[in-house]
Amino acid sequence: MGPADSAPADRSAFHHISEAGLRGLVRGGGDVHALDELLSAERSRRLLLLRALLDASAGRFQDHEGRFPSVHEAWRLLERAQASAPDAVDGVLMAPGTGTWVSSALRLLRGPAREETAVRRALEHLSALAVAAAARARIGFTAWVPAHEGMVPLPGLGCAVLPSGGEGPAVRVAGDGERLTITGPDGDVVVGPDWEHPTPGWRPTRRVTLGGDRTAGSLALEEHDPFRTFSGPSAPRCLSEQEAGAWQRAVDEAWELLRCDEPTQTEAMRRGLKSLIPVPSGERFRPYSSSSAEAFGGINASLPDEGLELAATLVHEFQHIKLGALMHLGPLVTRNDKTDEPPELFHAPWRDDPRPLEGLLQGIYAFFGVARFWRAHRDAPDEAHGPLAHFEFALWRDAVWSTLDSARGHQRLTPLGNRLLESLAQTCAGWLTERLPARELSLAREAADSHRARWREHHLRPSPDVVHEAIRAWRRGESCPASVGTAPSSLRPDPAACFLDTAAVLARHRLTDPDGPWRDPGAAADAVRGAGPVDVLLALGNRSAARRTVVDRMMAGDPAVGSWAALGRAVADVPEWLGAHRFLLESPQWARAVHDVLLVEYGERPEPLALAAWLARGARPAR
């Protein structure tokens, strides 16, 4: 199977990236030449993983009377197909699902013996890949491939649906160079010579074009590959004609926007993207998407509400894809040798949960690309998108900058990691000087403040000793001790933290649909998950009503986590409470901790604003 058959003789045989290619990538971009270098390295890596799989599976799961998929038979079929049509085999081997499969299969092979059934199922998938490659190569063969509930997926080609939904662990597939005959217990499915058109029992892999016609490139709209998702094998999910048409229209619109806003990156994306994997639709302004370093070129995404949303999603995930491939060539961080200590975690303005350094760098790189996209789109001819573009650019520009500030110079960064962050920081620093409309800038900054404050209220825990010291002073009518402003808080991830981006989502609704249903505080959660009446009142700019509502709820019972952060926003327009406003946005975990202990241990419910103002006066010297 090509270069995987032997190890490199010396260091010069290892893949590397040119200085020109690296320069573009560390700046957050990378042209088609850089993508070609990444693709070449990923191909070699994929072949080496396949060879490792063959070696690790030696002697396991031998054929039973020729009626079960065999790793070695599949390997020989792949070798035959490669000798006849190398490009056809590369198309199968470089599919994103193949990368997910080979990585997960190797992990299973090296895992505990009790996972033997999962190992067998994973190894059998190689036969399906070999058949797909042999069919593309137009060679004759006979092989056994796995079936599940009457479905026989052949990645990149399509999926056979057996007559009567026939059951069985495997089915026989025969190819004569033109057609495939897939034999089930109750009859055959015949496919070919044209794989792309549906026939009885055959659902071909759909493709969506990039730029209007197939000469400009296309992506597989992958519905069938069991390893198309990144969390484990999945049953085929077949789209309706209406869904497939909606995807093509969304891609057409997104691609036109990308071509106008980011022409260089769009051409690189055309080269690097391989497949779109549809997943169930999400909430407006909360689209779902994911990618994986093991599945170069594949993006899981929910059908967007409009092409603009998909364009931003493609940019976001393509940034992850590029950085994942670059990290296969050189690490950005050194290994953490302190295995007996929990990993260091950071606030990421785009996540509900604390992130390790490696994940933080991925987010920085991805949202740098998102900020760049919205910056360019601010000048788009469609003025209707202008306010949203200004808001998104302001939000993600500042988010990337603040996160860069927390990661730059970290002791675990490698020279490549340092170079990457310094290059991104240089560009981002220039963005910070660009003027933005006051309304959109204010909304973006309040959304960022809300996320950070709610994150701290969920995940940070003040020193119990200082909390009790503060409580003793409060109950005696004394001043708040200065230690409240100096004592550190420890990070304890709260798995219940969710929807910390509510303020940002409501701001998007306000900018794009100012009279929409999101304005009803009583039905807020129907429009935006996680939003309550207080969130909507704040989004409407009605701080006095928000203030009354949140205080009444806090006095009536145990305040929900996030209430103190909301109160901090609600008093932003009251000069005499400016100290409480700043304290609750910076240190809401202190108000939460002191209030909770007063309630649990003493049965007291202090007036929230009085407590916040008292804590703020004690913390002021340290600020």
Side-chain angles (χ1 to χ4, degrees):
M1 288 289 293
D5 286 332
S6 58
D10 55 50
R11 232 188 128 64
S12 65
F14 282 100
H15 277 280
H16 67 282
I17 191 163
S18 66
E19 175 57 28
L22 182 58
R23 190 182 309 118
L25 289 168
V26 298
R27 290 175 177 173
D31 59 14
V32 291
H33 302 295
L35 260 292
D36 283 342
E37 291 180 305
L38 293 179
L39 279 165
S40 177
E42 286 295 303
R43 179 183 181 276
S44 290
R45 183 176 184 274
R46 191 73 55 84
L47 289 169
L48 288 165
L49 289 174
L50 282 167
R51 182 70 213 195
L53 180 78
L54 180 69
D55 293 343
S57 62
R60 300 181 71 167
F61 310 126
Q62 299 299 320
D63 290 359
H64 257 325
E65 301 176 359
R67 294 181 59 82
F68 289 91
S70 160
V71 170
H72 292 279
E73 288 294 329
W75 188 268
R76 285 191 286 270
L77 182 55
L78 276 173
E79 289 180 323
R80 286 181 55 213
Q82 187 184 53
S84 177
D87 289 344
V89 177
D90 271 1
V92 173
L93 297 185
M94 288 304 294
T98 303
T100 303
W101 161 74
V102 70
S103 298
S104 62
L106 275 170
R107 285 193 293 271
L108 285 168
L109 277 166
R110 295 165 178 167
R114 62 179 177 274
E115 296 183 346
E116 289 295 283
T117 300
V119 172
R120 176 190 287 277
R121 290 175 179 170
L123 293 179
E124 287 175 348
H125 185 66
L126 183 60
S127 296
L129 295 174
V131 166
R136 286 177 176 231
R138 303 285 181 179
I139 63 174
F141 66 92
T142 299
W144 289 84
V145 298
H148 180 68
E149 296 183 354
M151 310 283 277
V152 184
L154 299 177
L157 295 183
C159 182
V161 183
L162 300 174
S164 303
E167 274 298 331
V171 297
R172 180 178 180 273
V173 182
D176 61 8
E178 291 291 329
R179 292 174 174 79
L180 296 181
T181 301
I182 303 162
T183 302
D186 299 310
D188 297 343
V189 174
V190 179
V191 187
D194 185 353
W195 322 112
E196 297 184 358
H197 290 88
T199 57
W202 177 249
R203 297 172 179 171
T205 296
R206 307 177 202 255
R207 301 193 71 84
V208 290
T209 57
L210 303 174
D213 60 74
R214 294 209 173 191
T215 61
S218 64
L219 299 177
L221 194 62
E222 187 57 74
E223 311 161 69
H224 309 127
D225 189 335
F227 291 90
R228 65 192 183 279
T229 57
F230 312 132
S231 57
S234 303
R237 176 180 177 266
C238 298
L239 302 177
S240 66
E241 291 298 327
Q242 291 79 7
E243 287 178 297
W247 271 106
Q248 181 63 74
R249 290 189 295 274
V251 170
D252 286 343
E253 185 180 347
W255 205 255
E256 181 60 22
L257 292 169
L258 291 169
R259 187 187 63 79
C260 295
D261 292 343
E262 295 203 312
T264 301
Q265 285 302 294
T266 302
E267 289 309 303
M269 199 178 296
R270 189 194 305 275
R271 188 70 59 92
L273 289 184
K274 304 294 182 183
S275 64
L276 269 174
I277 301 93
V279 298
S281 294
E283 178 187 330
R284 180 162 174 74
F285 297 124
R286 278 183 177 140
Y288 174 82
S289 67
S290 63
S291 53
S292 168
E294 304 300 338
F296 185 95
I299 295 176
N300 281 244
S302 56
L303 184 64
D305 292 286
E306 57 180 332
L308 181 61
E309 184 178 277
L310 180 59
T313 294
L314 293 177
V315 170
H316 177 176
E317 297 302 342
F318 192 57
Q319 291 289 103
H320 281 308
I321 288 167
K322 289 186 297 181
L323 191 62
L326 180 61
M327 291 170 68
H328 286 158
L329 291 170
L332 302 180
V333 299
T334 59
R335 188 183 300 275
N336 186 2
D337 295 328
K338 299 179 180 179
T339 56
D340 57 335
E341 297 180 7
E344 183 180 8
L345 299 174
F346 298 81
H347 169 239
W350 39 80
R351 296 278 300 216
D352 293 334
D353 56 330
R355 301 295 290 157
L357 182 60
E358 295 85 346
L360 194 73
L361 299 190
Q362 277 282 356
I364 288 171
Y365 197 76
F367 282 95
F368 177 91
V370 171
R372 183 190 62 214
F373 167 76
W374 287 111
R375 176 176 179 268
H377 194 69
R378 290 183 301 151
D379 299 323
D382 185 357
E383 294 183 2
H385 289 149
L388 181 64
H390 287 304
F391 169 81
E392 299 287 4
F393 173 57
L395 181 68
W396 300 123
R397 171 196 70 176
D398 291 356
V400 169
W401 179 255
S402 66
T403 315
L404 277 168
D405 192 51
S406 67
R408 289 167 70 189
H410 195 280
Q411 60 185 4
R412 288 185 58 211
L413 289 173
T414 65
L416 177 59
N418 274 308
R419 181 178 175 182
L420 176 80
L421 294 191
E422 292 305 319
S423 295
L424 298 181
Q426 185 176 5
T427 299
C428 196
W431 291 347
L432 295 174
T433 65
E434 297 182 11
R435 296 180 63 84
L436 285 162
R439 178 183 65 156
E440 285 80 0
L441 181 60
S442 176
L443 287 172
R445 288 183 172 167
E446 184 162 359
D449 288 344
S450 174
H451 188 285
R452 183 180 62 251
R454 294 183 67 190
W455 187 94
R456 289 176 175 177
E457 192 171 338
H458 271 282
H459 300 299
L460 296 184
R461 298 291 183 272
S463 162
D465 291 341
V466 179
V467 168
H468 282 89
E469 180 186 356
I471 287 171
R472 287 192 295 272
W474 167 268
R475 300 190 77 235
R476 292 170 182 164
E478 300 171 354
S479 299
C480 177
S483 53
V484 169
T486 58
S489 296
S490 60
L491 196 156
R492 291 198 335 215
D494 177 4
C498 60
F499 306 126
L500 303 189
D501 63 341
T502 297
V505 174
L506 286 167
R508 294 179 181 110
H509 280 282
R510 175 178 171 179
L511 291 169
T512 59
D513 188 17
D515 299 318
W518 64 272
R519 297 175 60 90
D520 180 3
D526 295 334
V528 178
R529 286 182 300 166
V534 173
D535 299 297
V536 175
L537 291 168
L538 288 169
L540 292 169
N542 192 345
R543 296 187 193 276
S544 61
R547 189 161 56 244
R548 290 192 300 272
T549 303
V550 72
V551 167
D552 288 347
R553 291 191 171 190
M554 293 171 85
M555 291 299 294
D558 296 344
V561 183
S563 296
W564 294 99
L567 182 60
R569 293 173 61 199
V571 298
D573 60 340
V574 184
E576 58 264 35
W577 287 330
L578 186 58
H581 158 69
R582 291 172 176 166
F583 179 81
L584 290 176
L585 291 187
E586 290 293 326
S587 306
Q589 72 274 13
W590 281 97
R592 177 191 175 191
V594 170
H595 174 277
D596 288 355
V597 173
L598 281 170
L599 180 61
V600 172
E601 296 189 8
Y602 298 98
E604 297 179 9
R605 286 194 178 93
E607 201 285 325
L609 278 171
L611 177 61
W614 181 79
L615 288 167
R617 287 191 293 272
R620 189 177 301 144
R623 317 212 85 79

